[in-house]
Amino acid sequence: MDFQGNMDRILDSIQQAKAAGAMYRSGPEMEIPGYSCADHFYESDTMLHSWEVVAELLQHPLCVDIMIDVGLPVMHKNVTYNCRLVFLNRKILLIRPKLILCDDGNYRETRWFTAWRKIRQVEDHYIPRIISRITGQITVPFGDAVIATRDTCIGYEICEELWNPESSHIPMSLDGVEIIVNGSGSYTEIRKGYVCRDLVMSATARSGGCYLFANQRGCDGDRVYFSGNSMIGLNGSIVARTLPYSLQEVEIVTATIDLESVRNYRSLVRSRCLHAAQSQAYPRIQVNFALSNDEDIFLPLSQPIEYTIPTPEEEILYGPACWLWDYLRRSGQGGFLLPLSGGVDSSSTATIVYSMCHLVVQAVANGEEKVLEDVRRIVSQSDYVPRDRRELCGRLFHTVYMATENSSIETKNRAKLLSQQIGRLNLPVLGDILGAPPTAELEPLDEGTLVQTDEADMGMTYAELATYGKLRKVECCGPYSMFGKLIHMWSDRCSPAEVAEKVKLFFRYYSVNRHKMTILTPAYHAETYSPDDHRFDHRQFLYNYRWLWQFRAIDKAVEKLETRSRDEQVERSSSNRSTKDSQSSHKRPSSRSCSNSFSGSTGNESQRRGVEVPPGPLIQTGLMESHKPECVLQDHPSGTHTTAEPIDCGPGSETDRKRWGCLSSPLHTLGHSTQKSCRAVKITLVHLQHHTTSVQM
Ligand SMILES: NC(=O)CC[C@H](N)C(=O)O
């Protein structure tokens, strides 16, 4: 909702782009009002002020001889769309509405916008009079069109359109669109950093072309942190990118690309050419303007760069720190007060505030005027220059130790040490804090010694809690499905009856405590299994904590598993006896070839427990994989069908890719059978090196 600030930043970016010699400028999704305006998108003021900013931009002397697209909501025939507006030299060329909206995770786009589904169609849009007076236009094209300049063709994809299996860049690139521009609002989650890079690389590797991915960076008023990582892709490589985790308000990234390289790349992919020749044409908005000029042979071309992904530790240290900085400077507060207990939660918070101070000092040292201006305002000192992060931390950050008679001397010491150590980049006390048993310190000490620990209180470990959390939220498990997964995951340590007890305990506690999440203070969204009730985890907060139906289903499954296991044991021992008796060397027919012992990889342990999982219907599918043996799904040594987990496919790959549909987790994808009776699908990838030509990757 910071229209003034947003317009200033857009103009700043245009100025920087022109200074870098760019002929085209794009920016993030909804950059005029901001992406996270939420129900403000219902307000006509939001639409009016957005158009007012467009009016300013159209008339601004900076906005000449450069093609620009900006993001804003536009109401067309009483329906609001999430749009890019493209303009050049005081004329609007096209308003391109988003075709595919996003409602995953924290996104709720369909609450405010409607997707434009008139594919390859444009209509007349009647622009407001304040705009007509500037451009002289009464109507402008609105819809799914592309822009044909004298030298190339430019098309638009808005954020989610890149993620969707029916991505717009595919038909556009087949129709000769060479530059695809994507204004995005993509937020960060730990270990998600590779996703945008892989999508841009894969889009341009398969379709050829140049891809401009302009993403928002920072907190724009909500719990999420937009990751930045704007980048330019070309024919399967990344040629330019911005850096993640910076306090810089406007950062541009430019690249010089050779359009001939797009044409060469595409014409060499023969199968693509056949499809391109049959592709349906997009409406083209003809513009007498060129992005290139006759002298461009002298320009050095951008080369592929290495795109590194931050480690999860860096993501934790810098993402929330940048978000806190935005929180602090926007909220008009003077700093932070933290009750520091010496436990993991408050100590991590303290470390993140310190990380924020470190980033501020660094940004000021790098000449970031805006950061200096903000920090001066926050500390109320117009000539202040933060040179030392410890000193800055002393001004912005205050901790208090709120002891009771149940507080132990150990935690107090750890809190004290941390408050003293905050200030070098060397916080050895963090090791002690992490190593200490988590405790609420609510129960009396026993002669000064702690007797209470969280894990004992909860009856479960934090590691177990994390597993439950991921299964509950990410994998959408109710009690019964969670039990079904855990009997395999924990086959080396628990019998099904024990797993059943653990799952029931978790769900009982979950349901009696769930209502407490409704009063959580706003926090940084970091993880896919976040329990935040306000924006992310939309489940009811009051339950029948006895879960009668669900727990009965678990009990029945345990009973079945135990009966089957006993039967199989009896069968085994009688078959052993008869084998001995007849002294036959024949093996028993493999009646269990499709079955699955509960043992997992720890056969001995499971034999000790003597429990096996019923076979369940399996479909065997044989696929031949002629190369990349490291991607072959390993068959379980014991022949079980425990659900496949993503595996690492070697250098440059990440194990956390299952959501993005890469090779590493085909079972997950296929496991969602619509046939209720079929829960597990077995897939075999065969590596037949002798019969195939090897392919170098
Ligand atoms: N704004 C959007 O369309 C978001 C798209 C995308 N799914 C993401 O996670 O970033």
Side-chain angles (χ1 to χ4, degrees), residues 29 35 98 100-102 104 107 109 158-161 163 184-187 192 659-660:
E29 188 169 9
Y35 181 81
K98 192 170 181 176
I100 301 167
L101 301 178
C102 186
D104 311 346
Y107 297 106
E109 292 188 354
I158 305 180
C159 204
E160 181 72 2
E161 293 177 45
W163 270 254
S184 272
S186 182
Y187 65 76
K192 193 185 153 187
R659 203 196 136 194
W660 314 106

Side-chain angles (χ1 to χ4, degrees), residues 416-428:
K416 192 167 177 185
L417 267 176
L418 179 61
S419 65
Q420 287 163 357
Q421 286 178 7
I422 275 194
R424 291 183 312 277
L425 289 184
N426 183 16
L427 311 173

Side-chain angles (χ1 to χ4, degrees), residues 606-673:
S606 110
Q607 275 157 16
R608 191 172 65 72
R609 297 188 180 279
V611 183
E612 292 183 359
V613 168
L618 292 183
I619 298 172
Q620 299 235 23
T621 314
L623 295 179
M624 194 176 76
E625 169 83 269
S626 62
H627 56 88
K628 294 227 294 184
E630 69 277 17
C631 284
V632 173
L633 257 190
Q634 285 141 2
D635 215 357
H636 205 283
S638 61
T640 68
H641 76 222
T642 50
T643 315
E645 287 300 318
I647 56 169
D648 202 324
C649 298
S653 69
E654 293 80 11
T655 49
D656 189 31
R657 289 188 175 192
K658 61 187 175 189
R659 203 196 136 194
W660 314 106
C662 90
L663 253 182
S664 52
S665 189
L667 267 183
H668 274 280
T669 325
L670 292 170
H672 291 282
S673 167

Side-chain angles (χ1 to χ4, degrees), residues 20 210 232-235 237-240 254-264 291-293 295-305:
C210 175
I232 299 175
L234 180 67
N235 301 334
S237 303
I238 303 297
V239 294
T254 43
T256 309
I257 59 135
D258 182 359
L259 290 170
E260 284 303 320
S261 75
V262 173
R263 292 156 195 166
N264 279 345
L291 303 186
S292 56
N293 64 50
E295 301 294 302
D296 55 18
I297 187 96
F298 302 111
L299 286 175
L301 297 173
S302 301
Q303 299 300 322
I305 56 162

Side-chain angles (χ1 to χ4, degrees), residues 215-323:
N215 195 18
Q216 193 173 185
R217 184 171 62 200
C219 158
D220 82 338
D222 213 319
R223 290 156 172 80
V224 295
Y225 177 75
F226 291 92
S227 50
N229 290 317
S230 296
M231 67 190 102
I232 299 175
L234 180 67
N235 301 334
S237 303
I238 303 297
V239 294
R241 72 174 291 197
T242 59
L243 289 175
Y245 310 123
S246 162
L247 302 185
Q248 198 180 342
E249 281 209 336
V250 179
E251 187 180 354
I252 62 147
V253 61
T254 43
T256 309
I257 59 135
D258 182 359
L259 290 170
E260 284 303 320
S261 75
V262 173
R263 292 156 195 166
N264 279 345
Y265 186 95
R266 286 180 173 174
S267 75
L268 287 173
V269 184
R270 303 308 303 154
S271 59
R272 193 207 82 92
C273 293
L274 179 66
H275 284 260
Q278 300 165 51
S279 74
Q280 249 185 294
Y282 275 82
R284 277 168 158 73
I285 312 293
Q286 310 280 346
V287 189
N288 188 10
F289 182 74
L291 303 186
S292 56
N293 64 50
D294 293 346
E295 301 294 302
D296 55 18
I297 187 96
F298 302 111
L299 286 175
L301 297 173
S302 301
Q303 299 300 322
I305 56 162
E306 201 190 329
Y307 186 113
T308 48
I309 305 288
T311 62
E313 289 79 6
E314 287 168 332
E315 291 179 314
I316 291 165
L317 190 63
Y318 299 125
C322 292
W323 184 84

